[in-house]
Amino acid sequence: MSKNDVNIVFMGTPEFAVSSLRALVEEGYRVVGVVTQPDRPTGRKRVLTPPPVKLEAERHGIPVLQPERIRRPEAIAGLRELQPDLIVTAAYGQILPKAVLEMPQHGCINIHASLLPKYRGGAPIHYAVMNGDPVTGVTIMYMAEGMDTGDMISKVEVPIADDDTTGILFERLAAEGAELLKRTLPDLLAGRIVPQPQNEEEAVYSPTIKREDEQIDWTQPAERVYNLVRALHPRPGAYTWWNGEVLKLWGCVHPVRPKPGQPASRPRADAAPGTVLQATDQGIEVMTGSGTLWVTELQPAGKKAMDAAQFLRGSSMAPGTVLGSG
């Protein structure tokens, strides 16, 4: 079976999915349609903005469908008109109904940014960083009616460095997912795949990040706070309270493994969690539930993100200030 014998419909929405769509096109597969989320208003001016996958599809002249709900009969009918033999999804953003799952003869497969069954759900990269995992990966699986519960087809592991943010890891996993898709499709279309069921006892979920998840709990150990800050970078950002306003934290020094030239955190037991111990051009040292953490990049309410030295030239944060009180 040649690549041109298979009608592929790609379903995805954010930047993470763009690499995989581009890989399909560059490999010569016949992508007959792309399904993505509707254009949404973004930014302070609420400008109607198309999703990245739509822009990529239009660059290649691929027809685009943007149903509000993929479960609606008219959306399913539109998809059926494309006569897909295989549906490839990556961070599409909606659960596919049974009528869609059963539509293509080669099934529906999903590119998921974790080593399943760990981190099923919508925020696998955030949780891998937040939990300080040393390794994550990408899994391609057959889609089922449950949330990321389908049989696994292929996997690739990706290490996580101490200073990786979710944004950095996001780009790496997107590239790895595209490469894995290229390696997997020939065997899948030739019927050489032996799917592996997931072990339900090992399943872990990664629910969507909520506003309350973004607030820093200074009673947590310094490394836990550090992991939260890099997990929520570049979106949505970890925050604390200062002078009754939100203060976002974008950069910290690893409390255990600082790089040369960076300030070293130190054990302290004589200040309450959230207390500023010192504020210098190198950063702002804050007490946590275990050890201290140097904050190096932050963003006061209504201002742009800036490094600690710039922040301290325009604002006063004296030792003894307690962060975290709203």
Side-chain angles (χ1 to χ4, degrees):
M1 178 179 294
S2 76
K3 296 174 180 176
N4 279 322
D5 292 331
V6 182
N7 286 347
I8 295 179
V9 169
F10 185 84
M11 304 176 72
T13 300
E15 198 66 40
F16 176 81
V18 169
S19 298
S20 292
L21 172 58
R22 188 179 300 141
L24 288 174
V25 174
E26 291 176 351
E27 287 292 296
Y29 287 101
R30 188 165 66 195
V31 183
V32 295
V34 162
V35 183
T36 187
Q37 298 279 3
D39 297 0
R40 306 287 190 199
T42 60
R44 290 186 177 181
K45 296 183 178 179
R46 310 302 291 162
V47 176
L48 197 61
T49 305
V53 162
K54 178 182 180 182
L55 297 176
E56 183 68 16
E58 290 178 340
R59 275 192 281 272
H60 299 289
I62 302 171
V64 176
L65 303 178
Q66 294 180 276
E68 191 69 44
R69 301 293 302 166
I70 191 63
R71 291 180 172 275
R72 290 178 180 165
E74 61 271 24
I76 295 173
L79 191 57
R80 198 181 302 280
E81 287 179 3
L82 296 173
Q83 300 182 334
D85 299 308
L86 172 70
I87 292 177
V88 178
T89 75
Y92 170 54
Q94 295 186 38
I95 295 176
L96 304 189
K98 187 175 180 182
V100 173
L101 295 176
E102 294 179 343
M103 193 180 296
Q105 61 172 311
H106 291 289
C108 300
I109 64 172
N110 181 44
I111 305 163
H112 188 75
S114 83
L115 297 173
L116 290 172
K118 194 172 186 180
Y119 300 138
R120 294 172 176 174
I125 306 176
H126 290 86
Y127 279 89
V129 177
M130 194 184 306
N131 291 332
D133 290 0
V135 65
T136 183
V138 178
T139 303
I140 295 180
M141 62 173 184
Y142 282 114
M143 299 187 73
E145 290 189 77
M147 173 69 78
D148 299 326
T149 57
D151 290 350
M152 300 177 293
I153 300 169
S154 58
K155 282 185 179 183
V156 61
E157 291 190 355
V158 176
I160 305 176
D162 281 346
D163 56 355
D164 276 345
T165 63
T166 288
I168 292 171
L169 195 56
F170 189 98
E171 292 181 8
R172 197 180 307 152
L173 290 173
E176 291 287 351
E179 290 299 315
L180 184 63
L181 180 64
K182 289 195 288 187
R183 296 196 298 271
T184 301
L185 278 186
D187 286 339
L188 185 147
L189 296 175
R192 296 192 290 265
I193 292 291
V194 181
Q196 300 295 315
Q198 297 185 40
N199 186 339
E200 291 299 319
E201 294 181 356
E202 296 177 353
V204 176
Y205 283 87
S206 61
T208 302
I209 302 291
K210 297 181 177 137
R211 180 64 173 166
E212 56 264 34
D213 300 324
E214 302 164 18
Q215 183 170 355
I216 293 170
D217 178 359
W218 291 107
T219 67
Q220 292 291 310
E223 191 159 3
R224 183 73 183 170
V225 177
Y226 171 80
N227 288 339
L228 179 69
V229 170
R230 66 193 184 105
L232 301 187
H233 188 294
R235 288 182 299 276
Y239 74 92
T240 188
W241 290 96
W242 173 60
N243 286 344
E245 294 188 328
V246 166
L247 178 69
K248 288 208 172 189
L249 272 54
W250 293 112
C252 299
V253 174
H254 193 292
V256 178
R257 291 177 285 279
K259 292 180 178 178
Q262 291 181 328
S265 299
R266 52 196 172 138
R268 287 282 296 265
D270 55 349
T275 301
V276 174
L277 302 178
Q278 54 181 321
T280 75
D281 284 352
Q282 284 187 294
I284 298 165
E285 188 178 22
V286 184
M287 187 71 191
T288 73
S290 177
T292 67
L293 186 70
W294 284 87
V295 178
T296 56
E297 186 179 2
L298 58 175
Q299 182 179 11
K303 297 183 179 179
K304 294 182 178 179
M306 60 190 81
D307 63 30
Q310 186 179 2
F311 170 77
L312 292 171
R313 283 196 291 273
S315 305
S316 174
M317 185 176 281
T321 300
V322 179
L323 303 178
S325 299

